[in-house]
Amino acid sequence: MSDAGAAVPAEARRASGAVLERLTTLAALLRAGGVRVGPGELESSARALRAINASRRDDVFLGLRAVLCSKHSDYPVYDAAFSAVFGEPGADHADRPELPPGAELVVPRVAAPPPQGAQPNKVGPSEMRPAAWSEVELLHEKDFAAYTDVERAQARAIILRLARHMPMREARRTKATRRRGVRPDLQATVRASLRHASEPLDRRWRAHVQGPRKLVLVCDVSGSMAPYARMLLQYLHAAVATHRRVEAFVFGTRLTRVTHELGVRDPDRALDRASAAVVDWSGGTRIGESISTLNRVHGRRLGRGSVIVILSDGWDRGDPDLLATEMARLRRSAHRVIWLNPLKAAPDYEPLARGMAAALPHTDHFLAGNSLASLAELASILEDTR
């Protein structure tokens, strides 16, 4: 074998070792962005590096992506993380480009790879990445309309946690309790008195069972809500996928029930199914007619005592009198009516639109629906609902 032929494998082995040193950092970035990366994926990555020429950055990029990404939604997070650790694929190692938009949000509080000549495990202050805020704090107040693909992927785990908060109610059934309940448990008290010569010294009680109250989510997917609809639909999917007593609807010029479409666990597949079921996506808005359909067609499915959450900017092309009438009808059968309007986040916002002005008197809570902070406020209200 010639000297030139032996130099290539040696170079590839040195490059493979350098990539392995940064592999844990890459895995940390992916986990921070919501990608599932465990010991099995890291072991597969090490085997992949032995099977490719690790001195070629494009080969490393494609090889690691094949074993670290399990679905297409992981690709934007992986692209940003790979660029943050190794630079853009195809770029020269000596000319490291700036991070792409949103990449700084998946860079956790870890040390950058030490420069040449630095001692292992001894990183100076100048070699630390800035970490003034965590990923959650950066995204908490940011408007959904300004989100990047990386941020949308990051927000999924946060939205899933927020969607676990459900309104509760007291069921008619009761259960035995150690504390003083709503009524005495006579049978249990008599049985306990047999230990004390039939003297009722140990009084027993029963309390109402706490159960989930039905939650109905109605999201506006008209053209004016396009910057917010996808993130809000992620909230609808998370609620439907984690609870049984949740109904989901979307509307533009007509109302469409999407509970079944959003019932699958994969969020990308669920949103694709929901968008395929809706024929008036990004079109006009007729809120009054949609609420009328909700009341008359789906009234039995909703039942009485539900918590209704409407996510809309209130821009309506229909009759405001019809909207006011249908909202009053909805309010009489619901336990609470909550309206989330992304426009409310503006400091100078006033509900002057005809649709919003007609609906507002029949709502119990009026919130902004433009950020994770507003969804957290909604979760707090739902949790306190009895």
Side-chain angles (χ1 to χ4, degrees):
M1 182 181 294
S2 64
D3 294 340
V8 174
E11 180 184 356
R13 286 195 299 270
R14 287 195 299 270
S16 178
V19 173
L20 284 173
E21 291 178 358
R22 301 187 183 185
L23 189 59
T24 55
T25 302
L26 178 64
L29 301 182
L30 294 174
R31 283 192 290 268
V35 180
R36 189 183 67 178
V37 178
E41 286 76 14
L42 291 177
E43 183 179 355
S44 300
S45 300
R47 291 201 301 267
L49 290 175
R50 291 196 296 268
I52 62 176
N53 184 357
S55 63
R56 295 177 56 86
R57 192 182 317 207
D58 289 342
D59 292 352
V60 173
F61 174 81
L62 295 175
L64 293 182
R65 190 179 69 173
V67 296
L68 293 177
C69 297
S70 58
K71 50 189 177 181
H72 287 289
S73 60
D74 295 340
Y75 286 176
V77 181
Y78 175 82
D79 295 346
F82 188 91
S83 299
V85 178
F86 301 106
E88 290 286 353
D92 184 36
H93 287 269
D95 184 19
R96 185 184 179 92
E98 296 182 357
L99 298 183
E104 69 278 0
L105 296 174
V106 299
V107 179
R109 293 176 293 279
V110 297
Q116 185 175 6
Q119 297 183 9
N121 302 324
K122 293 184 179 180
V123 183
S126 61
E127 300 167 23
M128 295 297 294
R129 296 191 187 275
W133 301 278
S134 68
E135 304 87 23
V136 176
E137 291 169 334
L138 285 170
L139 296 178
H140 195 65
E141 301 290 343
K142 188 170 184 177
D143 194 280
F144 287 151
Y147 269 32
T148 64
D149 290 339
V150 174
E151 293 166 338
R152 292 190 188 96
Q154 259 195 304
R156 283 180 177 173
I158 305 171
I159 290 176
L160 183 61
R161 290 196 298 269
L162 294 176
R164 291 173 182 167
H165 297 269
M166 282 285 288
M168 304 297 290
R169 64 180 179 86
E170 289 187 350
R172 293 182 178 180
R173 293 186 301 109
T174 59
K175 64 178 181 179
T177 178
R178 292 284 185 179
R179 300 179 181 180
R180 186 181 182 91
V182 294
R183 63 180 178 86
D185 190 340
L186 298 181
Q187 293 182 348
T189 301
V190 171
R191 286 195 301 268
S193 69
L194 299 179
R195 303 175 184 174
H196 308 286
S198 297
E199 292 291 337
L201 302 179
D202 187 8
R203 299 182 66 183
R204 301 297 177 89
W205 297 87
R206 298 190 70 83
H208 286 294
V209 175
Q210 294 288 327
R213 188 182 293 275
K214 177 164 283 189
L215 177 64
V216 181
L217 302 170
V218 187
C219 184
D220 185 347
V221 294
S222 62
S224 60
M225 282 288 291
Y228 302 95
R230 187 166 185 85
M231 291 302 299
L232 295 177
L233 281 174
Q234 285 194 25
Y235 178 78
L236 265 67
H237 166 258
V240 171
T242 54
H243 301 288
R244 290 185 301 173
R245 294 180 60 83
V246 177
E247 288 286 344
F249 300 86
V250 298
F251 69 89
T253 56
R254 67 185 72 179
L255 186 76
T256 305
R257 181 173 179 259
V258 292
T259 307
H260 176 71
E261 286 76 9
L262 295 177
V264 297
R265 289 187 175 273
D266 185 2
D268 293 322
R269 182 169 170 237
L271 295 182
D272 290 341
R273 289 176 44 163
S275 61
V278 179
V279 297
D280 55 345
W281 197 285
S282 296
T285 316
R286 296 188 181 274
I287 307 178
E289 295 179 6
S290 299
I291 300 299
S292 176
T293 304
L294 184 68
N295 285 329
R296 288 166 172 77
V297 178
H298 302 282
R300 186 180 296 274
R301 179 176 283 114
L302 270 57
R304 297 187 65 85
S306 302
V307 174
I308 313 293
V309 180
I310 301 175
L311 307 100
S312 173
D313 55 7
W315 290 102
D316 186 23
R317 296 183 180 179
D319 184 4
D321 293 334
L322 174 63
L323 176 57
T325 301
E326 295 302 329
M327 284 297 298
R329 180 187 180 96
L330 183 66
R331 179 64 190 88
R332 287 194 296 269
S333 63
H335 179 72
R336 290 283 189 277
V337 176
I338 305 172
W339 194 295
L340 272 67
N341 187 337
L343 302 180
K344 188 179 182 295
D348 56 347
Y349 171 76
E350 294 183 11
L352 301 179
R354 295 189 309 166
M356 197 69 255
L360 196 57
H362 309 288
T363 61
D364 297 288
H365 302 279
F366 185 44
L367 312 175
N370 69 313
S371 65
L372 292 175
S374 60
L375 294 183
E377 187 179 0
L378 171 64
S380 178
I381 292 175
L382 293 179
E383 197 171 48
D384 293 339
T385 301
R386 291 292 185 268

